[in-house]
Each structure stands twice: as structure tokens, then as C-alpha cells.
Amino acid sequence: MPAPVLCQSCGAGRAALRRPKTGQALCRECFVAAFEAEVHGTIVAARLFQPGETVAVGASGGKDSTVLAHLLRLLNQRHGYGLRLLLLSVDEGIAGYRDDSLDAVRRNRGRLGLPLHVVSYRELYGWSMDRIARHVGPKNNCTFCGVFRRQALDRGAALLGADKIATGHNADDVAETVLMNFLRGDVGRLRRCAGILTGSEGALPRCKPLKHAYEKEIVLYAYFQGLDYFSTECVYAPNAYRGHARTLLKDLEAIRPSAVADLVHSGERLAVREDVRMPTQGTCQRCGYLSSQPLCKACVLLEGLNRGLPRLGIGKPSRMQKVLTDAEKPEVGFREDSQQASRAIRTVDF
Ligand code: SF4
Ligand code: ZN
């Protein structure tokens, strides 16, 4: 029988895994300690938090945000960050997916002892994702969902008086986003998507403490710590463009294991020529949210939905912007139900 491989860190324990990130053979305890120390190192090196801040942790019930909430609570206590942490979830209204994953968040709220607040698309926009999908068809659901979620998190966090939002984006997510923005030629997003702390131009700052953590290691960490998370994929995910970037990245990783870290590095180092015009940030004429156009993307998409023309808001912004800003007729605007919905914005505390 071959001799057991010993942990390359402590030299005493039996190695339980080979780290996907470094190839190092480690025992369970040394892996957990190394993973926690690396996330702490990321937080300290990038100065992600200041003492006294209230941090809303975006909690979806999935592995990344579950590990993030667990780690932030642990590291906050261990290293005295001085943070007030709370969980913030977005209920997109996706039956069989988000309702189940929110159950996982609720279970974790008990385990972590952190307050949980939920904001829902139905309350914020008057539309659930399931209803949007029925109107829009199988494609472009994630366009609506992504735009609405971004704003929902911001609005929820602002209502709770949070100073910052922490999200569970990991290194694989960042690499995928770099690849996706590159393939789409979206220079504006490409320039900022690899940043660890974003949103300085008037938006609530967002940070990604797991930015350098590999997805595979997050799964291993969650497993070793016995964390309770929801792992089913969203029913609309198979039609998302991101899925193609993910497949491409997995193929690249099979040939070159450092592909994830390399792409993150490329995104960080990328410089955009000075003469490339970048969108200038203003605020949406309708809802006041940050926008580089007269109307923010969420208002445009919502208007398309309310007019029964959901495709109008997709693709080039100019078409719908023009319709809404130049030729605005008296009847153009939020429908009554959306107006009521936006007035009724509130969070649900559990
Ligand atoms: Fe929303 Fe698309 Fe994610 Fe589903 S996969 S939660 S529709 S962004
Ligand atoms: Zn708006």
C-alpha cells in the first residue's frame, strides 16, 4: 500500500486534498486555516473595510455568499474589524429556485446570528422574474434580472443604512466577467469589472472579499465547515450568455490551470487608452439612481415591460431612451401598479 501523503504545511496530518489554487497537498485543518488567512489578507491588503462600518452581505443562499457571510462574521470577531454585519437578500420571484435558496439564507441567519432583510422584485418593480420570463420569452431574462438585482441590492442596503455591500463574487466569477466583457467589447465594464472595491462615483461601495478565492476551494471550505447552502441552478441560467464564457473558461483551465488567476490579473492590469470615451455618470431622471443615460437601465427595462414591449429596453440604449425622453407623452410613465410598488419599497425583516 502506498504511504499516505503528508500535509505539506504541518507535516504531521494526512493530506486531505491538493489545493486547486497552488497544487499543495494539505490536511483539512491547514487548508481551512490557509483559506481563512488568505481572505483576511485580501481584506487587509485592499483595505476593504473601516472600523464602525455597517456592511450588508449580499446573501443568495448559494455557496459563495454562504461562505462569505460565515467568513466575515468569523474574521470580524477574530481580527476585530469592528463591523456591523447584516444579511441582505433579493427575492427575484423565481419559483423552485429563489424561494428554496431563501430558506437556506433563513437557516443561516439563525446559525450566524445576523439580522436578515429581504427586498423583492415584486415590491420594488411590480414584476417578479417568473412574470417577466413569461412576457420576454426564454432569452434575455438575465439582462432584466441582473439590472434589477444590482439596483435592488443598492436600494435595500441604502434603506438599511449600510455603508458598503459585500458580495460573494469569486475569482472564477471575475475571470468570467472579464472574458464576457471582452467578448462583448464592453470597454466601460471591462475597465472596472476586476476591481475589488467599486462604486466610488456616488454609488454605495461594493466589495468582493472572495475575489481571489477559487470556486473549487470555496466548495471545499464549505464542505469542511459543514455549511448549509443551496446548490440548484436557476431555471433561467441555461440561456445566459455568461454560461458560454463559463464553458470557455473551463476549457481554457483544462489546458492551463492558471487561466482563472491570469484572467483576473489581465482585468486588473488592463489600461484603456485615454482617448476612448467613457460613459459619464449622472442620475436617472425618473428614479434618481446612478445612470450614464437620462434614464437608468432599470427604468428603461421596466417601461418596456409596462408597455407590453419588453424587447424595447434590450440592446442599444438609444432607441428606448429616445422614445422615453424626447417624445414623452403624458401617458408615458410608471403604471399605477409600479408607482405603488416603488412607493411601497421596504425591506422585510425576519
Ligand atoms: Fe437572475 Fe439569470 Fe441569475 Fe436566474 S440566472 S437569478 S434569471 S441573473
Ligand atoms: Zn431609473
Side-chain angles (χ1 to χ4, degrees):
M1 237 173 66
V5 178
L6 287 182
C7 172
Q8 290 175 340
S9 177
C10 67
R14 192 177 174 148
L17 65 124
R18 196 167 281 284
R19 281 193 75 175
K21 191 170 180 175
T22 58
Q24 208 183 13
L26 292 180
C27 69
R28 186 179 164 136
E29 289 72 24
C30 287
F31 167 72
V32 166
F35 188 84
E36 289 170 356
E38 282 171 14
V39 176
H40 172 60
T42 302
I43 290 170
V44 172
R47 299 172 186 224
L48 293 190
F49 305 117
Q50 303 303 320
E53 278 184 339
T54 296
V55 178
V57 184
S60 69
K63 61 181 184 333
D64 302 310
S65 63
T66 303
V67 166
L68 177 66
H70 167 87
L71 273 175
L72 283 185
R73 183 176 157 278
L74 182 93
L75 297 174
N76 191 34
Q77 284 177 352
R78 184 180 291 167
H79 299 287
Y81 292 165
L83 303 177
R84 183 176 151 249
L85 298 171
L86 45 91
L87 303 172
L88 175 60
S89 294
V90 177
D91 181 1
E92 297 94 342
I94 303 172
Y97 169 66
R98 186 55 81 218
D99 38 8
D100 292 345
S101 63
L102 283 174
D103 284 344
V105 178
R106 289 187 187 102
R107 290 194 298 273
N108 281 317
R109 175 223 28 201
R111 176 179 168 146
L112 295 167
L114 298 177
L116 164 67
H117 307 269
V118 181
V119 285
S120 81
Y121 282 8
R122 215 173 281 117
E123 283 187 82
L124 288 173
Y125 309 112
W127 290 77
S128 69
M129 262 320 290
D130 284 339
R131 189 169 157 229
I132 291 172
R134 281 198 296 279
H135 277 67
V136 178
K139 283 192 176 168
N140 297 314
N141 288 304
C142 297
T143 303
F144 284 86
C145 194
V147 169
F148 287 167
R149 186 186 304 107
R150 181 163 190 88
Q151 212 178 89
L153 265 181
D154 273 352
R155 292 207 207 176
L159 279 167
L160 297 169
D163 301 296
K164 208 164 267 172
I165 299 171
T167 61
H169 292 101
N170 59 42
D172 298 59
D173 295 328
V174 176
E176 266 166 39
T177 309
V178 170
L179 199 54
M180 203 167 65
N181 288 332
F182 187 76
L183 294 173
R184 281 176 168 161
D186 192 333
V187 181
R189 286 207 175 94
L190 190 55
R191 199 176 61 161
R192 54 177 196 263
C193 69
I196 192 163
L197 185 61
T198 52
S200 53
E201 297 153 325
L204 207 58
R206 284 174 181 239
C207 65
K208 309 180 188 99
L210 301 181
K211 182 189 153 185
H212 296 296
Y214 275 33
E215 186 170 52
K216 286 176 190 150
E217 299 207 348
I218 289 174
V219 174
L220 283 168
Y221 182 82
Y223 172 71
F224 288 141
Q225 297 299 80
L227 301 184
D228 174 9
Y229 65 87
F230 180 77
S231 51
T232 303
E233 196 178 49
C234 169
V235 287
Y236 306 119
N239 296 316
Y241 184 64
R242 176 174 285 274
H244 301 295
R246 176 165 299 184
T247 307
L248 180 54
L249 183 58
K250 293 279 171 246
D251 289 347
L252 291 171
E253 213 185 352
I255 307 163
R256 184 180 164 90
S258 63
V260 167
D262 293 344
L263 264 166
V264 173
H265 181 73
S266 301
E268 285 171 338
R269 292 302 157 113
L270 189 111
V272 178
R273 260 191 3 233
E274 280 189 10
D275 59 341
V276 175
R277 264 185 58 203
M278 286 293 159
T280 42
Q281 290 293 358
T283 49
C284 171
Q285 286 174 6
R286 185 167 290 181
C287 72
Y289 189 73
L290 220 69
S291 174
S292 56
Q293 303 281 333
L295 294 178
C296 74
K297 186 80 176 160
C299 281
V300 172
L301 290 173
L302 196 54
E303 187 65 33
L305 286 171
N306 287 335
R307 284 172 169 231
L309 299 166
R311 297 195 162 276
L312 268 187
I314 297 167
K316 280 216 175 295
S318 51
R319 248 167 83 213
M320 189 64 168
Q321 288 282 345
K322 195 158 173 48
V323 174
L324 293 176
T325 50
D326 294 355
E328 189 144 37
K329 298 187 181 90
E331 71 269 22
V332 174
F334 278 89
R335 276 191 178 169
E336 183 118 333
D337 55 348
S338 301
Q339 277 182 345
Q340 282 168 355
S342 50
R343 275 198 297 271
I345 291 168
R346 63 188 176 84
T347 59
V348 184
D349 296 2
F350 292 90

